[in-house]
Amino acid sequence: MSEYRSTLDSTGPASLPREPRTPAYRHKLRYENHDTALDSQDTPTQQWSGRLPTGKTTVTCLCGLDTGAVPSDEARLVYEEHRNLIRDEIATNPQG
């Protein structure tokens, strides 16, 4: 075992504190379909589990968008509109 112990070099120039950064990605769009679980059968030949769509979907984003459970067609429109908004925002401000 070495007897040399390293120490932090504090002889260099002091670094200036940085301004707080905004997150690199302001958006994180999510599209979540709501399903209900179906009961599985107890007999060994009919063991299955499945999911039944409810027709409801939630769209969320880090920027604060939250549709709650809405009909899937409506949620798809909100998702597409928000995706286009994100695309336009990135095109006008590519640095973030």
Side-chain angles (χ1 to χ4, degrees):
M1 188 167 168
S2 172
E3 292 184 25
Y4 176 75
R5 296 192 182 252
S6 64
T7 59
L8 294 175
D9 182 14
S10 62
T11 60
S15 62
L16 298 174
R18 293 184 184 184
E19 292 182 22
R21 285 182 44 180
T22 57
Y25 300 106
R26 190 184 136 187
H27 299 280
K28 184 174 182 178
L29 194 55
R30 296 192 66 215
Y31 186 85
E32 180 184 349
N33 289 316
H34 297 280
D35 298 331
T36 56
L38 297 175
D39 294 331
S40 61
Q41 302 295 322
D42 291 334
T43 61
T45 58
Q46 292 183 333
Q47 285 186 357
W48 55 272
S49 62
R51 308 215 46 88
L52 182 64
T54 61
K56 300 286 185 177
T57 303
T58 300
V59 179
T60 58
C61 185
L62 282 178
C63 69
L65 173 70
D66 187 354
T67 62
V70 296
S72 295
D73 293 338
E74 183 180 331
R76 191 67 178 156
L77 290 174
V78 170
Y79 180 89
E80 294 295 330
E81 288 174 5
H82 198 69
R83 190 176 67 158
N84 291 338
L85 179 124
I86 294 168
R87 183 197 60 214
D88 295 343
E89 190 175 293
I90 290 171
T92 58
N93 189 12
Q95 288 83 20

